[in-house]
Amino acid sequence: VLSTMRQVGIVTLSNKTKSLNVPEEDAEAAEMQRLLDKTVKYGNSQKFEKSWKAAWQALRKMRRYSCWSAATMLQNTGLSLVNLLQSSAAGPSVFGGGNHTLLVAIEAFASSIRYSEGTWMERKKSDEYPSWLRHALHSRSNNHLPELAPPSGWSERVPLPCGGYLEPQTPRLVGIWS
């Protein structure tokens, strides 16, 4: 448990109640799992454009999917985008350039961390994601592609349209839900 969290009440456990810490077993969960499998399959095959498209399709359809499961989709979305940036000057055309694609990837990683907050996965992802970003940007440099960075550099917060900020170096979302 993080020092910023506090207990609000007493929890009583019951062995007769179905756990709420899993996605509902409904049509949406089946579709999200199908799209996650597709995203991972394409990513593992180094078909990063197809991987990104499957992830984007899932994010657009997602409505009631569990936070824990959404975190995995967001992680794979960010990974698809940074993998695209290793060999592409701009990434998907929907973002209008490499720097914006980089910000979307960082935001996906930050959201993935947010959806696993307070767990061992938060600590693991907080360590992994910055190294994934550094590796992708180093590979990009080795491929003689233009350098990418957030608008004001890595140490400055990036204001988000919905309010709050993205801390690109960490990656973290700050001040949105407080």
Side-chain angles (χ1 to χ4, degrees):
V1 177
L2 300 175
S3 61
T4 58
M5 299 178 155
R6 59 189 169 91
Q7 185 172 348
V8 179
I10 297 174
V11 176
T12 304
L13 299 177
S14 170
N15 60 2
K16 297 176 185 168
T17 305
K18 185 177 166 188
S19 171
L20 298 176
N21 196 22
V22 295
E24 284 290 322
E25 294 177 15
D26 60 7
E28 181 183 17
E31 178 66 0
M32 291 301 107
Q33 187 59 53
R34 183 185 74 77
L35 289 169
L36 176 61
D37 292 345
K38 204 172 171 181
T39 301
V40 170
K41 181 183 93 174
Y42 286 137
N44 288 338
S45 303
Q46 297 189 6
K47 296 176 182 173
F48 302 123
E49 183 74 31
K50 286 184 175 188
S51 179
W52 151 247
K53 286 179 180 179
W56 182 239
Q57 186 179 6
L59 293 176
R60 287 191 332 235
K61 289 182 174 187
M62 194 179 291
R63 294 293 176 266
R64 295 177 296 120
Y65 205 49
S66 77
C67 293
W68 185 263
S69 298
T72 304
M73 180 57 78
L74 288 161
Q75 172 181 312
N76 281 286
T77 301
L79 190 56
S80 295
L81 290 172
V82 296
N83 283 327
L84 273 172
L85 287 174
Q86 289 182 62
S87 58
S88 164
S93 60
V94 69
F95 298 125
N99 286 324
H100 196 237
T101 300
L102 176 65
L103 284 177
V104 173
I106 295 169
E107 186 176 350
F109 287 148
S111 292
S112 177
I113 290 171
R114 184 179 130 239
Y115 286 152
S116 57
E117 220 168 46
T119 68
W120 63 273
M121 285 297 287
E122 176 188 16
R123 291 182 296 282
K124 181 178 186 275
K125 291 174 181 187
S126 295
D127 290 339
E128 283 181 343
Y129 295 165
S131 68
W132 291 359
L133 288 164
R134 282 190 303 275
H135 172 77
L137 294 174
H138 180 73
S139 295
R140 184 177 172 81
S141 173
N142 287 344
N143 290 331
H144 307 290
L145 292 168
E147 188 175 319
L148 299 177
S152 299
W154 287 95
S155 59
E156 293 295 318
R157 288 179 169 181
V158 179
L160 296 172
C162 61
Y165 298 90
L166 175 65
E167 290 182 347
Q169 196 169 10
T170 325
R172 290 256 181 241
L173 295 169
V174 180
I176 296 176
W177 299 271
S178 352

